[in-house]
Amino acid sequence: MPNSTTKQFKQSLGLLDATMLVSGAMIGSGIFIVSADMARMLGSTGWLLVAWVLTGVVTVAAALSYGELAGMMPKAGGQYIYIQRAFGPLTSFVYGWTVFMVIQTGTIAAVAVAFTKYSAVFFPKLNFQNAENVLFSLGPIDVYAGTFYAIACIVLLTYINTQGVNAGKLIQNIFTSTKLVALFGLILIGIGYGLQSGVLEQNFENAWDASRVSKETGEVTMISGMALIVALGVAMIGSLFSSDAWNNVTFIAAEIKNPKKNIPLSLLLGTLIVTVLYVLANIAYLCILPLKGSSTGADVMAQGIQFAEYPTDRVATAAMSVIFGSSSAGIMAVLIMISTFGCINGLILAGARLYYAMAQDGLFLKQASKLNEKSVPGKALWVQCIWASLLCLSGSYNQLLNYCTFGSLIFYMVTITGIFVLRRREPTTERPYKAVGYPFVPIFYLVVTMGICLILLSDSNTRFDTGMGLLIAAVGIPVYYITRKSGGGKKAI
């Protein structure tokens, strides 16, 4: 058997597989939940839909821009490689550091916990909110049976992915296609039922009168002008998080057939499919439930979208309960379990390739630079598994995700800025695909995202979390120099 260092990735994934990874990694549990908090921040049907449409436009614009870089550099590691080529090893290491510490592993942990919470609908012993389910405590941290269930899910999917890219692909395609069909079916049912109820027409009365409602006191404050712009930017954190992880397909470029064509195309198709489904899902919610409501409402109609099944914010479950009654909880639990399971698999499959690329540069654990007998980075997969599992155990994953959202947006901006840098520095380099609408589409993305970042820095409710996101990324700078000083890292990259 040849030495593992000589092994090569196998190009086993076609356009359909890549598109399934893009859309499957994007759709987790967010679309079924975050509209409630967005509705409380905006208090307006029109502005709620604007937030989701703008999120979709921004996401597709980013995907179109990334396509140029993906075509130029179809290598394992994707975004890490793009940043390295445009801005050097320090910036790319800080990106990889942040991805490993919180962005990828934190998302894996959080989605695994979401999978557990909905599994608890059928297995109450997994419920995190029941003190009787605490197995033991580690200082201030309570460890539940559900904690080990979430970890077991991560370990299982990691093991499957160590058995080769085709094993991970099979799981991804089955679960992604299932949830796409199921979500589309629920949209059709919701819109078909709701159009006969008259609720949509009521929701569009005074559709542009924005307001913010306090979830603690129920106090309503009308907003306009700059206050509305700030509210829109903060509300979009929910929709942007629900639409994130589309870039994961770039991490596995070395395993995609004809990557110069299929990666840009899968980015476009995947983000477009999810954008359309997300907007339609929110229209379905508005067809069934009133936008405005009260946390003390006697039923889901009185609670509205703003306080759907408060405090859980399970908008989709509340909407489906109008149609299916008491069985809606089980129906939605199954759908979200399918959705989150497929999402975890995609995140696990893709993330390890980035750490593999870092290890190849001497900037990650040496063992992560090797492929196993199945031609996948097995050690990188297990390192990722261990850290994601620890984040589950620590109970800190939700706050970590809040910290990394801002950092994630910053690195998207850095990467897209790299298009302009490389166009100027390498004008003759082959570009099998050129960013659609260049320079206007990339500039549009940068302007909108910069605006959102400034809003998050200025808003008192998000300032701390955004600061912590910057701090986590900044810690990567001394870690990089320590790594280089200790002998890690290539002399020239």
Side-chain angles (χ1 to χ4, degrees):
M1 185 175 67
N3 187 281
S4 61
T5 58
T6 66
K7 291 184 179 297
Q8 300 292 321
F9 284 113
K10 295 179 179 178
Q11 290 186 320
S12 305
L13 307 177
L15 175 60
L16 175 63
D17 304 317
T19 304
M20 288 292 102
L21 179 61
V22 174
S23 53
M26 290 174 71
I27 304 174
S29 59
I31 184 57
F32 306 107
I33 298 171
V34 299
S35 290
D37 195 46
M38 294 171 69
R40 288 193 292 267
M41 292 182 188
L42 297 169
S44 157
T45 299
W47 288 111
L48 175 65
L49 291 178
V50 165
W52 280 101
V53 170
L54 185 56
T55 295
V57 171
V58 167
T59 301
V60 172
L64 289 172
S65 300
Y66 267 55
E68 176 169 321
L69 299 172
M72 288 176 64
M73 296 165 272
K75 301 177 181 179
Q79 191 170 345
Y80 167 80
I81 301 295
Y82 313 157
I83 294 175
Q84 183 187 82
R85 185 154 163 181
F87 300 105
L90 171 59
T91 308
S92 62
F93 175 82
V94 172
Y95 168 68
W97 161 267
T98 309
V99 168
F100 178 73
M101 292 302 295
V102 288
I103 295 177
Q104 198 80 1
T105 51
T107 304
I108 290 170
V111 178
V113 169
F115 173 75
T116 302
K117 287 182 177 179
Y118 282 93
S119 298
V121 172
F122 306 104
F123 308 104
K125 288 291 184 182
L126 300 177
N127 194 329
F128 287 98
Q129 296 177 327
N130 189 339
E132 295 181 357
N133 293 338
V134 176
L135 298 180
F136 56 89
S137 297
L138 297 172
I141 300 172
D142 292 330
V143 179
Y144 294 79
T147 306
F148 290 103
Y149 182 85
I151 292 173
C153 174
I154 295 172
V155 172
L156 172 63
L157 287 172
T158 297
Y159 172 75
I160 291 172
N161 277 279
T162 62
Q163 300 308 297
V165 70
N166 285 327
K169 176 182 78 173
L170 180 63
I171 296 290
Q172 194 65 26
N173 288 352
I174 290 174
F175 280 84
T176 299
S177 57
T178 300
K179 67 182 172 184
L180 287 174
V181 171
L183 181 56
F184 186 66
L186 288 176
I187 289 169
L188 289 179
I189 293 170
I191 293 177
Y193 176 90
L195 287 177
Q196 303 174 28
S197 67
V199 174
L200 185 65
E201 289 83 354
Q202 294 174 20
N203 279 327
F204 271 97
E205 292 177 3
N206 304 314
W208 301 101
D209 293 342
S211 62
R212 172 174 281 182
V213 57
S214 169
K215 61 182 178 181
E216 289 82 16
T217 65
E219 180 183 359
V220 177
T221 304
M222 301 304 295
I223 55 176
S224 60
M226 183 55 65
L228 173 57
I229 294 174
V230 171
L232 182 65
V234 175
M236 283 179 63
I237 285 299
S239 52
L240 284 168
F241 174 73
S242 300
S243 303
D244 204 3
W246 50 267
N247 62 322
N248 275 221
V249 72
T250 68
F251 300 163
I252 63 166
E255 293 154 282
I256 295 177
K257 302 171 185 176
N258 192 8
K260 294 181 179 181
K261 174 184 176 182
N262 286 336
I263 295 179
L265 195 52
S266 67
L267 283 166
L268 172 60
L269 292 174
T271 54
L272 197 57
I273 289 169
V274 173
T275 293
V276 171
L277 287 176
Y278 279 5
V279 174
L280 289 176
N282 279 276
I283 292 174
Y285 300 155
L286 291 166
C287 282
I288 301 171
L289 297 173
L291 178 79
K292 298 183 179 181
S294 168
S295 60
T296 59
D299 56 26
V300 293
M301 297 301 288
Q303 293 169 341
I305 292 175
Q306 289 181 328
F307 293 95
E309 296 208 353
Y310 187 78
T312 62
D313 287 349
R314 294 188 297 183
V315 180
T317 303
M320 289 303 105
S321 70
V322 176
I323 302 173
F324 297 110
S326 59
S327 62
S328 64
I331 293 171
M332 289 309 305
V334 170
L335 174 55
I336 296 175
M337 287 172 66
I338 291 170
S339 181
T340 50
F341 194 79
C343 180
I344 298 165
N345 182 75
L347 293 168
I348 288 173
L349 188 158
R353 275 64 177 176
L354 187 150
Y355 317 134
Y356 166 85
M358 292 179 69
Q360 288 281 305
D361 289 336
L363 295 172
F364 199 74
L365 298 176
K366 182 179 179 180
Q367 293 300 312
S369 68
K370 299 178 180 179
L371 302 183
N372 65 14
E373 65 278 3
K374 302 292 185 179
S375 297
V376 296
K379 295 291 177 59
L381 281 162
W382 285 117
V383 170
Q384 175 181 252
C385 173
I386 291 169
W387 184 241
S389 297
L390 288 173
L391 292 181
C392 284
L393 195 62
S394 72
S396 64
Y397 41 80
N398 284 331
Q399 196 161 22
L400 285 168
L401 282 177
N402 290 335
Y403 294 166
C404 80
T405 299
F406 183 79
S408 183
L409 289 174
I410 291 294
F411 283 113
Y412 282 140
M413 292 172 62
V414 168
T415 306
I416 289 179
T417 302
I419 297 175
F420 296 91
V421 172
L422 293 175
R423 285 257 187 143
R424 185 185 70 253
R425 185 191 301 161
E426 304 178 20
T428 60
T429 298
E430 180 189 6
R431 289 172 171 80
Y433 166 89
K434 291 188 176 182
V436 174
Y438 178 89
F440 303 107
V441 171
I443 289 174
F444 166 77
Y445 177 84
L446 292 172
V447 169
V448 173
T449 309
M450 176 62 75
I452 292 172
C453 288
L454 291 175
I455 288 170
L456 295 178
L457 284 170
S458 64
D459 188 82
S460 60
N461 295 316
T462 56
R463 191 178 299 132
F464 177 78
D465 286 351
T466 54
M468 288 302 297
L470 285 175
L471 178 61
I472 290 170
V475 169
I477 297 175
V479 172
Y480 170 79
Y481 285 109
I482 291 170
T483 302
R484 294 295 294 264
K485 187 175 182 180
S486 64
K490 294 180 178 178
K491 295 294 184 183
I493 298 179

